[in-house]
Each structure stands twice: as structure tokens, then as C-alpha cells.
Amino acid sequence: TELIQAVNIDMNPSATSTDIARRTVIHYGYEFNYKTRSVDLEKPLPLMPDKLRMVCSRLRNESISSEEPDQITLNVYRPGQGIAPHVDTHSAFEDPLISLSLMSDTIMDFRHPDGQEVSVFLPRRSLAVLSGASRYGWTHGIRERKSDVVDGEIRPRGTRVSLTLRKTRCRPCHCDFKELCDTWQADPQSSGLMLGRNLEEKHVWEFYDNIHSQFSNTRHTPWPKVVDFVNSLPSYCTVADCGAGNGRYSTQRDDLMCFASDTCFGFAKECRFVQN
């Protein structure tokens, strides 16, 4: 009740209606442009009500969101109104997406690009947190109808007010969900390269960071061909060993200046130990 009174929907001069559903929409912090599906960070809106700011702070303080939301979209759904399946623009907002339902219940439908569908009941005064795949890899929407069936019971819809709370980003997205990613669709080549980098970080770099000491203990014998190459170099050469692992080639000769590097921080520490 206090939140509804704070936003004062009927008297709010910034209240607008979408072209499709004709539902009432109010933006706080920044306006989301439905035509460009983006946010202009150079055009902040007047200060949001204190009650809403307190909600944003609480979400961060209770670790529901790592950052305090700075953009809120209020939607008023009257009985029979809904919203088409969509995904909130990847490049416009961070993870997570948070939705607070007030005044009435509803059912939100999630749809995956492979055809899977999941319906989730959102009671009034409930908080839905969409993170990871549910944020980036599934669309969500509300069907246009005047009642829902919950546990075999027909429940008429009342007027529902939803608050969608988000942290603006407005930079390229590098998620793994290319089917619904605006960054990927705009520039698939660069997005594909970044996706490859993300996969390498997760499945290669992080893996070796976790096992570097055990791995190093099994890699004590230098490869003969590499040793032959190092021994063929003239004295006082500078050698750059990139991807050095535990640095076992850096100590082959005392008359060479060797620099060892590796993307795995654990291996870099192993190199230092070998040098010492």
C-alpha cells in the first residue's frame, strides 16, 4: 500500500501507455525507449520516490542484487491485459532482472528458443529474480486473459502493479545466449570471438588455476626438442617463454635472460618458485 501511494499512479505526469497493450507505464531513474529498446544514460529522469529508493537499497543490502538498481519500470495491468513474450535488452541492463508484484496475482510464462515452456505463478507481494539463463536465455510474458487457473482453481485477475527493477549497463553484452542477445545479433563475428574467450576462461584458465600445483608436479621433465632449441641459442640471448606452465625451460641455461609468462596466475607463481 505504501509503495502504491508513493508512486501515485493516477496523478503521475510521466505515466504513458504502450502502443500495443495500452497499459499504463511509468519509468523512474531512466526511461526505457521501447522503439530502440535501449536507455539513454545522458538523460536521467527526476529523482525517484524515497520509498522506491529504499527498495533498491534493500535489494543490494540483502544481496539479492550485487548492485543497487537505478532504473525502475512500473506497469499497471488491468484484468485482460498482458505483455508479449520478450527478453529485456541484454546490452541495456545487468543481471539480475527483478520483478515485484503488487495488488494482484498473475502467471508469467517463460519460453526457451528450443520450444520449452514453463509457467510460474506470481502471488501479490512476491519478488521474482531472473538471473543467468532465466534472465538472458528465456523470454517471459503474460497472456492476455481475465483469469488464471492455479491448482485447479479459477482465479479472476484484479488490477496488478508490477515494478521491474534493473541496473543499467548500456554496453555490449558477452553472454552465452546468442539466440536472444542483441549484441550478438548486431555483430555476430565479434560476439562469437568474445563467446570463445568466455569459454576459454571458464574451461581452460579457471581449470588450470584450480589444479596448477598438482599439474606442475607431473610436468617436471622438459621436452627434448625444446631443450635442443634452447641449447642452440647463443649466449646472452633474451628468451620469451609464453605459456610457460611451471617454467621448467627457464632454468636450462644460466647465460640466457628468460622471461616466462602464462595466463594462469597459479602457473606464474610456480614459475617464480622454480626461479627462486
Side-chain angles (χ1 to χ4, degrees):
T1 302
E2 292 182 2
L3 283 177
I4 298 299
Q5 292 175 346
V7 298
N8 197 6
I9 298 168
D10 294 333
M11 299 298 293
N12 195 309
S14 66
T16 59
S17 297
T18 63
D19 294 334
I20 300 176
R22 308 306 300 171
R23 65 185 182 276
T24 301
V25 179
I26 306 174
H27 298 288
Y28 300 95
Y30 297 92
E31 180 178 1
F32 179 72
N33 188 316
Y34 289 97
K35 293 183 179 180
T36 63
R37 299 192 58 77
S38 63
V39 173
D40 188 347
L41 292 181
E42 296 183 358
K43 296 180 179 180
L45 298 174
L47 294 177
M48 67 178 64
D50 290 339
K51 292 290 185 181
L52 293 184
R53 193 169 294 281
M54 289 174 59
V55 171
C56 294
S57 298
R58 185 175 177 182
L59 292 173
R60 182 190 60 185
N61 294 338
E62 296 190 9
S63 300
I64 296 173
S65 175
S66 60
E67 298 182 90
E68 186 171 316
D70 59 0
Q71 195 279 334
I72 299 177
T73 297
L74 180 150
N75 283 277
V76 180
Y77 296 91
R78 293 176 174 81
Q81 293 183 325
I83 185 170
H86 67 284
V87 61
D88 289 45
T89 309
H90 288 199
S91 62
F93 303 108
E94 297 284 2
D95 187 357
L97 165 68
I98 302 170
S99 178
L100 176 62
S101 295
L102 301 173
M103 295 180 60
S104 183
D105 312 329
T106 197
I107 289 181
M108 181 171 286
D109 299 305
F110 291 83
R111 184 180 301 167
H112 193 271
D114 66 7
Q116 296 181 70
E117 292 191 19
V118 178
S119 296
V120 179
F121 175 58
L122 302 180
R124 61 183 292 266
R125 303 184 68 183
S126 66
L127 192 71
V129 181
L130 279 59
S131 181
S134 63
R135 157 73 176 98
Y136 294 115
W138 293 63
T139 64
H140 58 277
I142 298 173
R143 299 182 189 275
E144 295 184 348
R145 58 193 178 207
K146 294 187 176 182
S147 63
D148 295 307
V149 177
V150 181
D151 295 331
E153 177 187 349
I154 298 177
R155 297 194 182 187
R157 287 184 184 175
T159 296
R160 173 176 173 266
V161 174
S162 76
L163 296 174
T164 303
L165 305 100
R166 304 172 283 206
K167 178 68 177 74
T168 55
R169 173 164 54 184
C170 293
R171 56 184 170 83
C173 174
H174 303 305
C175 70
D176 297 335
F177 306 95
K178 62 180 181 180
E179 295 90 347
L180 299 174
C181 181
D182 59 299
T183 299
W184 180 284
Q185 294 170 1
D187 188 0
Q189 182 175 3
S190 63
S191 299
L193 293 174
M194 185 54 68
L195 176 59
R197 178 184 174 88
N198 291 343
L199 290 173
E200 184 177 18
E201 286 181 358
K202 181 178 181 179
H203 298 292
V204 180
W205 300 353
E206 290 183 12
F207 173 78
Y208 282 115
D209 267 332
N210 290 330
I211 68 157
H212 65 86
S213 58
Q214 299 94 323
F215 186 85
S216 178
N217 290 334
T218 66
R219 298 298 189 274
H220 44 74
T221 303
W223 290 357
K225 293 288 186 182
V226 178
V227 173
D228 290 344
F229 171 75
V230 173
N231 288 335
S232 70
L233 298 174
S235 297
Y236 310 114
C237 273
T238 299
V239 179
D241 188 358
C242 302
N246 61 3
R248 60 186 183 274
Y249 300 108
S250 303
T251 56
Q252 292 297 307
R253 288 175 53 181
D254 294 332
D255 59 341
L256 299 177
M257 180 175 290
C258 293
F259 294 91
S261 65
D262 202 285
T263 54
C264 171
F265 182 68
F267 279 149
K269 291 192 294 184
E270 295 290 335
C271 288
R272 209 166 117 195
F273 175 77
V274 169
Q275 292 297 325
N276 291 337

